[in-house]
Amino acid sequence: RWNSTYLMPESAIPFRSAFDALGQQDKEYEFCPTPIEWKMAESACKLLKGFYTATKLISGSKYPTSHLYFPQLCKIKKILKRESSSKNTIIAHMVQQMEIKLEKYWKESYKSICVPVVFDPRFKFDLLEYMLKDFGSEIEANKWMLKLKKAIQKLFDQYSQEILVHHQ
């Protein structure tokens, strides 16, 4: 829903002058956004643009995307961190709710998000560890890295067993 929420004001903002002109010409036009509402739309677009970009990138169907999830998630986390101190209380509250959802999603799926990063030759463990520290605290990052290394070792062990069985 964040994408459609982003697309609505993003497509309306370029036509602000048309909305304003209609409001001035047609006295029965009751739904012209106020300057405060336009400001809110601009703030929402600023916040949600990163989500829109990330969603479009990771939902591509013509190319593999699993290694892109974590870097995009880090970008989203940075956007939320930046916007969490917004003076606009509506945006700040919206960010707080988004952070709760992101944290829940992260706890449920961080292994499946991070393992493909390790297998991408551009990233490997060192960059992942650096990004995890930026994503959370150093203590959390160390816990995540330990669990990821165990998961990857388990995958390797399973793969090794299959190779041994097929070669016998």
Side-chain angles (χ1 to χ4, degrees):
R1 285 184 272 168
W2 290 334
N3 281 353
S4 58
T5 301
Y6 165 73
L7 289 172
M8 286 185 283
E10 192 266 341
S11 61
I13 289 170
F15 299 103
R16 180 179 180 172
S17 59
F19 281 99
D20 291 340
L22 180 60
Q24 291 172 359
Q25 291 174 4
D26 184 354
K27 298 305 174 197
E28 293 185 31
Y29 179 59
E30 300 174 13
F31 301 106
C32 186
T34 66
I36 293 170
E37 290 169 330
W38 283 115
K39 187 78 170 162
M40 177 59 71
E42 290 167 357
S43 296
C45 280
K46 181 180 171 188
L47 170 64
L48 296 174
K49 184 175 185 173
F51 288 89
Y52 178 76
T53 303
T55 302
K56 295 231 357 150
L57 181 67
I58 64 176
S59 63
S61 61
K62 298 190 187 271
Y63 50 89
T65 60
S66 61
H67 66 289
L68 302 173
Y69 294 172
F70 183 69
Q72 290 302 313
L73 204 57
C74 287
K75 288 178 185 178
I76 288 170
K77 180 85 168 168
K78 284 181 181 183
I79 291 168
L80 292 176
K81 187 175 186 177
R82 181 187 71 222
E83 295 297 322
S84 66
S85 60
S86 174
K87 293 175 183 159
N88 184 323
T89 57
I90 295 171
I91 294 293
H93 178 72
M94 191 165 81
V95 166
Q96 183 182 30
Q97 297 303 310
M98 293 168 108
E99 286 176 320
I100 291 168
K101 286 183 180 182
L102 182 66
E103 186 67 26
K104 181 179 181 248
Y105 174 74
W106 174 253
K107 286 180 180 178
E108 292 174 359
S109 59
Y110 76 93
K111 285 182 189 174
S112 61
I113 291 172
C114 291
V115 168
V117 174
V118 174
F119 292 124
D120 186 323
R122 297 170 293 169
F123 297 130
K124 300 294 180 192
F125 272 113
D126 291 340
L127 183 60
L128 181 63
E129 187 171 11
Y130 172 79
M131 293 169 81
L132 283 170
K133 287 177 183 175
D134 196 35
F135 194 82
S137 70
E138 188 165 343
I139 293 169
E140 289 175 312
N142 291 336
K143 287 180 188 176
W144 294 328
M145 285 301 294
L146 183 62
K147 289 179 181 179
L148 287 168
K149 286 178 181 180
K150 285 180 181 179
I152 289 172
Q153 183 65 50
K154 186 177 177 180
L155 284 171
F156 178 76
D157 292 344
Q158 289 173 344
Y159 177 75
S160 297
Q161 287 300 318
E162 285 186 32
I163 294 298
L164 287 174
V165 169
H166 286 354
H167 286 297
Q168 290 180 358

